[in-house]
Every structure is written in C-alpha cells, then in structure tokens.
Amino acid sequence: MEIKNICCIGAGYVGGPTMSVIASQCPHLRITVVDSNPERIDAWNGPDLNKLPIYEPGLAEVVAEARGRNLFFSKDIDRAILEADMIFISVNTPTKTYGKGKGMAADLKFVESCARQIAAVATSDKIVVEKSTIPVRTASSIKNILTQADGGQSGGQSGGQAGGQAGGRTGRGINFHVLSNPEFLSEGTAVQDLLKPDRVLIGGDNEEAIQALTAIYAHWVPAERIITTNLWSAELSKLTANAFLAQRVSSINAISELCEATGADVDEVARAVGADSRIGPKFLKASVGFGGSCFQKDILNLVYIARSYQLHAVADYWEQVILLNRHQRRRFADKIVRTLYDTVSGKKIAFLGWAFKKDTNDSRESAAIYVADALLAEEAEITVYDPKVSPERIYADLDALGSRSPEENRRLLKIEKDPYDTMKGAYAIAVLTEWDEFKMYDWPRVYQNMQKPAFVFDGRRLLDAQKMESIGFDYYAIGGGSPQDL
Ligand code: UDX
Ligand code: UDX
C-alpha cells in the first residue's frame, strides 16, 4: 500500500500540529486537514502566522514551511476523503454530558459521524487511523460502520477477545483497514514531542496497513521507537499512559498537603524520591492540580470501562486520582479564603494565569477555572491576566460551569491586558499557571501597589520564596518550604 494522499479530520490541538509535522518531514506526501468548523480552517489559512487557531512554540515556522506546498487546510471534507489513501480521525472525544455514562464515558458521536461520512463518500480503499483518544475496542465500532453502512461485510468478530479483524469490504467492494495510532504529544511542547517522540504506537491487525503507516513515521523516527501492537493494546495504552501520568501528579499533590502539615518541603521530597532511577524525576512537580483536555477525561473513561466489566476495585483505584485532583484545587481556594480572615467578599484577588499549563492558549479543565468558581461563590472580585488565553475563552470556561449567570460572571471577574493593572489594589495574588514571565516581574513595584498584608498564593511553586518574603509579601507555596527547580 503506497500512501500519497493523507486526510486528517479535526484541525485541533492534536490534528493541526501532528499533520504539520508529518508534512514538514514528508514533503512527498500531500496532506489535507479538514474540520467541520469552517472558521477554524480560515484561521489555519490566515496570513498572520501568529494568529493560528492554536499556539504552540515552533508551530508557526513548521506551518510556514509546509502550508501551500504539501499541507492544505480545507473546508471540502468530502473531497479530502475521496482523494485520500489514509484518513486520520482526530476529532474531539469529550466526556458525555447526557444519557448513559453521563459525566464518565467518552462521547463518540463525532468519531462515529466521521466514520459514516468516510463510508458514504469513499470510492477507493482506505486506511482509517484513530488519532483521537478513544475507549478500548472503538476500532471494532468504526470498522462496523465503515463496512456495513452500505450493507457490506465486516472483517471479524467484533465481540472477540483477541482483537478481531479491524478491516473489511463494503457492499461496493471497498477495503477499509482500521489502525490505532494514539498521539502522546503534550501541549506547549507539541512540535518537539512530534519531532522527537519517545515512541510512536501503531495498533492494527493488517500487516500491510501497519507497514504503510510505519513507513511514514520512519522518515524521521528511529525504527526502535516505533512500537506495533494489536488494536486493543494500542487503544488501551493511550488511556493507561495518561492515567499513569495523572497519577504521578496526584501522588505528589497528596504528599504536598502532608508536607504543609509537617514542615517538609515537597520539592525536596520530589527530588529525593525522583533520584531513584526506578521512579525518575519527571512529572513530580506539585501544583494546584492537573488540567488539560485529556487527563480527567481519559481517567473517567478508564473508570467507566472498568465498571462496565464489573471491575469495581480497578475503577475505584483510578477514580482516586481524579478525586485527589479535585481536592487539591478546592483546598487551594479554601486556603486563600481562610488566610484572608475567612472572607474574600468584595476583595480583589489577582489571578496570574488561566491556561492549564504554560506555553499554551488552552484552558480546558484548567485548575484556574475551579479555583475561580470557588472564590466567586464567596463573592470575591477576581482579576485575571494570562498571556495567551483569550477573554472570550475565560468567560466561556466559567459560564460552562453554570454556577451563576453569565452577567454575574462578568460582573465579578474582570480580565486585564497588563499584569501590573491586574495586581494593583489586590488583597492577594494567586499563581495558577507557571508562565516564565511571572518570574520576571518587578515584584517590589507590585508590592507597593497592593493592599497590606500583601498575600501571594503560589499554586505552581514558581516564585522565589526568599525574595518574595524579603520584599514584604506574605508568601505561601502549595507544598510548603521554598520552591526550587526540579
Ligand atoms: C481531541 C481530543 O481532546 C483528544 O482526546 C483526542 O486525542 C484528539 O482530539 P484536540 O485536538 O485537542 O484533541 O481537540 P480539539 O482542539 O477540540 O479539536 C478537534 C477538532 O475536531 C475541532 O476543531 C472540531 O471542530 C473538529 N471536529 C469535531 C470535526 O471536524 N468534526 C466533528 O465531527 C467534530
Ligand atoms: C498530556 C500527556 O502528557 C500527553 O502525553 C497526552 O498526549 C495528552 O495529555 P498535556 O495535557 O498536554 O499532555 O500536558 P501535560 O504536560 O501532561 O500536563 C497536564 C497537566 O498536569 C497540566 O495541568 C500540568 O500543569 C500538570 N502537571 C504536569 C503538574 O501539575 N505537575 C507535573 O509534574 C506535570
């Protein structure tokens, strides 16, 4: 199977950067990225590369090189499907907000509609690649839709244990092969992660299809880093990888509370623990809680799947990772209220950061949203500064919680463009994202312009404790002690 034309459905945080990097590394491939949202496509095609729909360091350069050469962003989904030899599905798979599995299971309606559209439009053989994170065994549903939408035959026992054939021939004689190729990129470092992945994972049951996708990655990824497995292992590995990563954050965050109670310093503990080569130093930074579109969604999904197999001990175990994360956000907000003499009503509290981590404009599931919500419930007046997240996004995040009316959210929470205006007159500063620029501020100037005592609640352990205290701040870092770089 020689691949010349690739289509990717979903021009989001995963589809956009992934296809841009494939295009830059494989100039011989023609790659068309489509999206059901025409404005997103316009934004990808816009003349100003600083205004791409997502912000990722290094992405603008990659897009500049490949766009118009072999990378295209198009609104014509049918045509892109028709022309492609290989189709990546990279649409979102949010947690269900309705019906069975509400609040837990992944909502696969977008994945299903992609499969139906491919089935309806295709006139030649296709390799369909699951890029989106999906529940284990989704490939068999995709295969069924692809092959049976026009009355054809699916290739295998979708209910089987060992991984039935995820391919088949339709009534019109078209062959479909389904592969799972989960994406492990991390936002903020997406381009680097894609250029130098720890591993590329390809799950499938058709050797030719696996080889066709392997050959693409082999243009820049060393062969030993390309792992092939059966479909269900690949699907489950993605959920498991995210669950393990989130578990590490919840583990260190659980210890952070104990550090505060005992006088230990969580960075010192993390350094000592992480020096054990079996544990390793990464992903041990205590924080106000993990966010992002994946961790919570994927663990909830894992819990849901485990429960659906009656594996309640497994489900309970992983659910704790989420519960601890919620607790961490909550206790940070509680700490602010308690420290401000048990009332924040009418007090200005400055938020530094809204994104779920630095170097991204993404705020999905950001801890900042939940800390803000808890403080607004106490009638605090919040002012937010984030270098990349748009005001519309910030208000949309809060409105989505439904805790109060949109008018009320806009009355109580203001968004500033200038960090010094954000902090002027504030009773407290809360650091919610670890943006580097926060470390560079003229902190004596900030102190001068604040109410006294001037409290700083560092939910990222970002600032220099000694320096802040010497200026006069009442400085608190989540996890106690003095923050240090890990
Ligand atoms: C999403 C999921 O969050 C993640 O679990 C999965 O691994 C990949 O997809 P992300 O790229 O961050 O990740 O999502 P998002 O930025 O929302 O992009 C999805 C895109 O798909 C959106 O641009 C949306 O408009 C588009 N889409 C959605 C379609 O083109 N068709 C649809 O039917 C639904
Ligand atoms: C994650 C996975 O890392 C990636 O492999 C997968 O493809 C998608 O989900 P992402 O959500 O983009 O990526 O960012 P990540 O760097 O993993 O951070 C997730 C959250 O955990 C952030 O809110 C981050 O601030 C937090 N975190 C991470 C910590 O609080 N402490 C840490 O030590 C590491």
Side-chain angles (χ1 to χ4, degrees):
M1 293 179 199
E2 203 203 332
I3 306 300
K4 291 194 182 117
N5 270 301
I6 290 180
C7 160
C8 173
I9 310 178
Y13 283 89
V14 172
T18 307
M19 292 304 126
S20 301
V21 168
I22 295 181
S24 82
Q25 298 302 310
C26 304
H28 61 288
L29 294 175
R30 183 187 164 89
I31 300 178
T32 308
V33 187
V34 295
D35 199 290
S36 58
N37 176 354
E39 286 159 15
R40 245 200 176 174
I41 294 299
D42 285 338
W44 281 107
N45 282 326
D48 186 350
L49 286 162
N50 292 317
K51 292 197 177 141
L52 294 176
I54 65 170
Y55 171 72
E56 277 294 338
L59 180 61
E61 290 80 354
V62 177
V63 172
E65 178 203 345
R67 197 175 66 181
R69 178 190 71 189
N70 66 326
L71 174 67
F72 303 92
F73 295 93
S74 165
K75 296 176 195 170
D76 193 343
I77 303 178
D78 283 356
R79 184 168 164 200
I81 291 173
L82 198 67
E83 292 176 350
D85 313 304
M86 181 178 272
I87 302 168
F88 287 80
I89 300 183
S90 187
V91 297
N92 41 333
T93 48
T95 303
K96 266 185 96 176
T97 53
Y98 55 88
K100 193 161 175 276
K102 179 180 172 181
M104 300 290 290
D107 192 339
L108 294 177
K109 69 180 173 198
F110 300 135
V111 172
E112 175 170 343
S113 76
C114 286
R116 287 190 185 279
Q117 194 166 1
I118 294 168
V121 169
T123 55
S124 59
D125 296 353
K126 311 277 179 208
I127 298 173
V128 175
V129 185
E130 301 171 337
K131 201 42 139 167
S132 304
T133 304
I134 26 88
V136 57
R137 302 196 70 82
T138 302
S140 82
S141 312
I142 293 181
K143 171 207 50 181
N144 278 334
I145 293 164
L146 287 173
T147 53
Q148 295 182 21
D150 72 347
Q153 294 260 310
S154 70
Q157 342 77 332
S158 60
Q161 290 293 314
Q165 290 268 304
R169 185 183 282 270
T170 71
R172 290 178 286 138
I174 302 168
N175 284 306
F176 287 111
H177 294 293
V178 181
L179 298 176
S180 165
N181 173 221
E183 186 47 64
F184 295 100
L185 70 80
S186 168
E187 286 176 33
T189 52
V191 173
Q192 275 314 308
D193 293 345
L194 287 161
L195 287 171
K196 288 196 168 109
D198 285 350
R199 80 305 208 182
V200 165
L201 179 57
I202 301 174
D205 52 23
N206 179 282
E207 201 45 44
E208 273 186 90
I210 292 173
Q211 281 315 318
L213 184 53
T214 303
I216 293 173
Y217 284 109
H219 280 97
W220 77 99
V221 180
E224 66 276 11
R225 294 202 175 188
I226 303 178
I227 301 173
T228 56
T229 66
N230 81 26
L231 273 161
W232 321 137
S233 302
E235 290 177 337
L236 187 57
S237 297
K238 170 67 198 215
L239 292 182
T240 307
N242 274 348
F244 271 53
L245 290 168
Q247 180 201 40
R248 271 177 83 91
V249 179
S250 277
S251 296
I252 199 68
N253 281 346
I255 298 302
S256 76
E257 189 170 13
L258 199 52
C259 285
E260 289 172 39
T262 56
D265 176 322
V266 75
D267 286 343
E268 290 181 352
V269 174
R271 178 167 289 192
V273 170
D276 185 324
S277 62
R278 294 168 301 175
I279 296 173
K282 293 185 183 165
F283 249 73
L284 287 179
K285 188 73 187 170
S287 69
V288 57
F290 61 73
S293 72
C294 288
F295 282 180
Q296 170 161 304
K297 166 175 75 74
D298 291 349
I299 295 180
L300 288 172
N301 191 214
L302 194 66
V303 169
Y304 183 76
I305 293 168
R307 289 214 195 285
S308 72
Y309 287 97
Q310 306 297 317
L311 306 177
H312 296 297
V314 177
D316 291 348
Y317 175 78
W318 287 108
E319 197 162 31
Q320 280 305 315
V321 174
I322 300 284
L323 296 181
L324 196 285
N325 196 51
R326 289 181 185 154
H327 168 73
Q328 186 78 346
R329 299 188 305 227
R330 182 76 224 185
R331 83 177 182 88
F332 185 73
D334 289 348
K335 171 82 183 176
I336 296 176
V337 177
R338 236 184 12 260
T339 310
L340 295 185
Y341 315 105
D342 279 318
T343 177
V344 289
S345 175
K347 290 181 181 165
K348 175 171 172 176
I349 299 180
F351 270 34
L352 291 184
W354 191 265
F356 80 100
K357 60 187 278 195
K358 73 172 178 179
D359 293 341
T360 177
N361 62 346
D362 191 351
S363 61
R364 288 177 290 182
E365 288 302 324
S366 179
I369 304 168
Y370 298 93
V371 174
D373 190 48
L375 295 175
L376 293 177
E378 294 291 332
E379 299 189 341
E381 292 184 3
I382 297 177
T383 327
V384 181
Y385 168 75
D386 187 285
K388 289 287 176 203
V389 184
S390 69
E392 299 74 36
R393 185 69 257 154
I394 293 175
Y395 285 127
D397 288 337
L398 272 180
D399 294 345
L401 295 179
S403 304
R404 61 195 70 72
S405 68
E407 296 72 37
E408 195 70 350
N409 282 330
R410 282 152 190 75
R411 187 178 70 77
L412 289 170
L413 185 139
K414 305 282 181 222
I415 298 158
E416 292 281 359
K417 287 201 174 89
D418 177 79
Y420 295 97
D421 290 342
T422 310
M423 295 183 277
K424 196 170 186 175
Y427 286 77
I429 295 166
V431 180
L432 277 309
T433 313
E434 73 282 23
W435 287 102
D436 290 331
E437 67 169 69
F438 299 164
K439 292 191 271 193
M440 316 300 175
Y441 289 166
D442 180 349
W443 285 106
R445 173 180 163 198
V446 173
Y447 179 76
Q448 287 298 324
N449 292 329
M450 277 179 71
Q451 305 284 347
K452 308 296 175 325
F455 292 103
V456 174
F457 299 89
D458 190 344
R460 293 293 183 162
R461 300 182 65 78
L462 183 74
L463 304 173
D464 181 331
Q466 277 170 4
K467 187 175 137 200
M468 297 302 280
E469 278 161 7
S470 70
I471 294 168
F473 287 105
D474 273 344
Y475 175 82
Y476 154 85
I478 201 153
S482 299
Q484 48 183 279
D485 289 333
L486 289 178

